[in-house]
Amino acid sequence: MKTFIKLSVSITLLFAFGCSNNDDGNSNDGGEQSTLELLVSGRWYQESKTPGSFSTCEKSSYIEFSNETDIALHFYNDDSGPCESEGVVNANYNLSGNTLEINVPDGTVTANIVSISEDELIVTAEDETVVFDKTEG
């Protein structure tokens, strides 16, 4: 569960520090969406990670930013047989530049957003790179 939360945090960081040239999360004058706007634009599903990979079941897991501070992490796992929800973890986050800090019950996870677009979020945390997208599975 802790690894999954760290992965989700990494995903969150990708959203926060995407392709925006603006460090404060506000829209720039060019009409592009800010990192924050991209983060809260919908659910971000786990797609891939390096090193390792996600099972088909784990690719149903997602993170969802609801505003400037709240995030929901919903995890799925098939370690003990059929694919089952592990439930939703509600947390809060702080976005500062390309750094995303997610405060979960077990502590704080820090991730760096490598890139973010309307369809893809890439984050790194603890020697792991995680790719999120808007498509479940």
Side-chain angles (χ1 to χ4, degrees):
M1 179 73 172
K2 205 171 202 179
T3 300
F4 194 78
I5 290 174
K6 288 179 182 178
L7 177 59
S8 296
V9 171
S10 296
I11 293 173
T12 303
L13 288 179
L14 285 179
F15 281 109
F17 299 103
C19 298
S20 174
N21 292 329
N22 190 338
D23 286 343
D24 65 5
N26 295 323
S27 293
N28 61 29
D29 293 335
E32 295 178 17
Q33 289 183 301
S34 70
T35 299
L36 179 60
E37 289 171 329
L38 291 168
L39 283 175
V40 300
S41 67
R43 291 180 176 170
W44 293 96
Y45 293 91
Q46 296 181 148
E47 178 57 33
S48 63
K49 67 178 177 177
T50 305
S53 62
F54 292 118
S55 69
T56 301
C57 175
E58 290 171 324
K59 288 184 177 184
S60 294
S61 301
Y62 64 86
I63 56 173
E64 186 170 16
F65 298 84
S66 60
N67 59 36
E68 293 180 8
T69 61
D70 297 328
I71 183 173
L73 311 166
H74 193 163
F75 302 105
Y76 287 84
N77 190 324
D78 57 358
D79 285 346
S80 60
C83 184
E84 295 182 343
S85 171
E86 292 186 352
V88 176
V89 174
N90 292 306
N92 60 55
Y93 71 96
N94 180 42
L95 175 61
S96 177
N98 288 341
T99 302
L100 179 62
E101 290 183 349
I102 299 174
N103 300 306
V104 294
D106 292 342
T108 300
V109 179
T110 301
N112 292 305
I113 295 176
V114 175
S115 67
I116 187 170
S117 67
E118 291 181 15
D119 301 320
E120 184 178 73
L121 170 63
I122 302 172
V123 297
T124 60
E126 297 186 15
D127 299 326
E128 199 170 57
T129 299
V130 180
V131 176
F132 296 86
D133 63 24
K134 295 290 183 91
T135 306
E136 182 177 359

